[in-house]
Amino acid sequence: TQAETFNGKVRASPLFDYWIKHGAHERPHVYFNCLASDRSNPEGIIEQKYSERLHQLETATDRCLVITLPSDKLSLSSSAVLKVDDADRKPAQTFFNNYLKITDPIPQAAGSNYFPDNNQDFYISQATREKIWPKGETTVFKALLEKSFTHMGICLDDNITPAQAHAAWFHFLKFELPNDILTRTQASSFNMSCKDAIDRGGVASAYYNLMKSIELGHPLTRDEFERALQAPPAMVKARRMNKHIKNIWNAVFHTICQIETSKGELPDNLTWINDWLADTVSYTKNLRPIRKHYHFDHSEGSTSPEEGHSRQLGTITRGPDKLSNSDESTTGSSDDSSDGAQEHKGL
């Protein structure tokens, strides 16, 4: 983050503040903030103060737009990724309506805190909304959310699992909405940052760049994607990506399901994603509950865990609640509070 505590007071980083105000850029810088703006616990309140200070940069200069988007807990809680059973299904329209409502501007009550109550970590100031979408953002948000559901192969008439809904919401927050903002503003630069810009921010950046590279027809290689995802936490905290690996794994999985369904097979430059999905679900502690739903048998044929449509997914296939490697069907914890979410340490 470019907010910090100095002598007991929250401020913007002086260097970043100076660069924003005096840097040689004609178009605005867009700051996608992955810190919280709707918390009551001590750590969350600190994050809210940082988020507030970042948004105050918008009033100090017209060269910075700050967009706070959900990245953890509340509507983007990674616990939803583990809900893949038929008993968990609900109408897609219900999920869609709930997500769309989060994007609505919330009136600021007199004498309240900087952020409106119950904003679900989604905050774009009214002034910034008007700058980006001068004709109104409501229809734009609805269209982008519909596009996100379609991207994951979801019709609003379907009954879907929370994992599917989570993937669509994640795609909206981490690709469709940022992409629309960057296109409309023609931003000179942008960043996606949380506290250390290694987990929440790292996932947001890695996913955006992967989806953008696919859109442009030049997908990242596995090495490029792995560096984007794992190098930041390795450099800063000497570990792999923490629990947030669940969110990006889920979104990438459903993206690949839909690409293969629509094209009949994966393009050659995307087949590496099969192996990444299989490898990641096999070694990641916080994905253990999902592993019960798959065989790891290096089969050529496979199916989606959601709808059962035919697809090839490297080493993952839908199967009974067991793993072909019986010693892997162990009892690991899926505690979301764990900072070291992976079984393997280092890279």
Side-chain angles (χ1 to χ4, degrees), residues 121 126 263 280:
D121 292 342
Q126 188 59 40
K263 294 182 179 293
T280 301

Side-chain angles (χ1 to χ4, degrees), residues 153-173:
I154 301 170
C155 296
L156 293 183
D157 292 336
D158 294 342
N159 284 331
I160 63 173
T161 65
Q164 287 176 285
H166 188 283
W169 182 229
F170 183 90
H171 184 76
F172 170 82
L173 295 169

